Amino acid sequence: MLDEAGRRLATAPAGTRIDLRLGELDSLPISTDEVDGAVAGMVLHHLPDPSSALREMYRIVRPGGAAVVVELCPHREDWLREALGDRHLGLDPGDVVAAFRREGFEQVQLSELEDRYQPTPPGGGPPANLSLFTVRGHVPVASP
Ligand SMILES: C[S@@+](CC[C@H](N)C(=O)[O-])C[C@H]1O[C@@H](n2cnc3c(N)ncnc32)[C@H](O)[C@@H]1O
């Protein structure tokens, strides 16, 4: 993924500030309050404990900044475990909202997406047709 990102970013406009870092989602190589926002797209369902990534996102986003997660709704495509390393067959949107709140995010909002995720099984056959949602939340600004 980082190699591909590097290739694509080679043609980014001059002055674009991008820093590619390799790390684990439950231990990000990013300092506390370092970034304005964080996006985790299609990745929490790979983690044994999705909350661990939200905890890290809360840590790295500055007060007033935002975090966004894009995730799969619960599904029954069990082949994704072996084919793509999925640990969860989607996530319950309500559980993700609750996890955002538990980690301290405020103004937590859930949205359904019109886009679908349509991976094809390795042996062939019709693609899956999976629903997606996003959850966003803000890190509270510290009181004066
Ligand atoms: C389905 S891809 C999504 C990639 C990208 N976010 C996107 O939306 O196109 C899942 C990515 O999560 C990464 N990943 C899985 N477990 C991880 C972990 N514990 N820490 C960091 N990255 C992880 C995989 O290497 C893979 O690049």
Side-chain angles (χ1 to χ4, degrees):
M1 284 290 183
L2 290 181
D3 288 346
E4 178 59 24
R7 269 191 293 279
R8 294 186 185 196
L9 294 170
T11 56
T16 304
R17 288 180 54 210
I18 302 211
D19 186 12
L20 298 176
R21 301 180 197 176
L22 178 61
E24 290 293 322
L25 276 158
D26 58 3
S27 175
L28 292 170
I30 302 175
S31 307
T32 299
D33 298 348
E34 183 176 341
V35 298
D36 296 326
V39 179
M42 300 289 286
V43 70
L44 294 195
H45 61 264
H46 288 283
L47 305 180
D49 174 18
S51 291
S52 62
L54 294 180
R55 201 164 303 135
E56 275 294 88
M57 291 166 80
Y58 188 88
R59 180 184 68 76
I60 66 167
V61 173
R62 64 161 173 78
V68 181
V69 158
V70 182
E71 260 309 324
L72 294 170
C73 295
H75 62 81
R76 297 181 177 186
E77 304 292 338
D78 201 55
W79 59 271
L80 285 169
R81 292 185 192 276
E82 193 173 344
L84 295 180
D86 291 15
R87 299 238 188 183
H88 305 272
L89 297 182
L91 296 172
D92 185 296
D95 289 348
V96 178
V97 166
F100 261 74
R101 294 199 172 116
R102 217 169 30 245
E103 297 308 328
F105 289 101
E106 293 182 344
Q107 303 165 58
V108 180
Q109 289 180 308
L110 166 67
S111 311
E112 287 177 23
L113 289 181
E114 287 181 14
D115 296 297
R116 313 284 289 191
Y117 179 55
Q118 299 182 311
T120 304
N129 185 17
L130 307 179
S131 307
L132 298 156
F133 65 94
T134 68
V135 177
R136 69 159 58 210
H138 291 263
V139 175
V141 179
S143 19

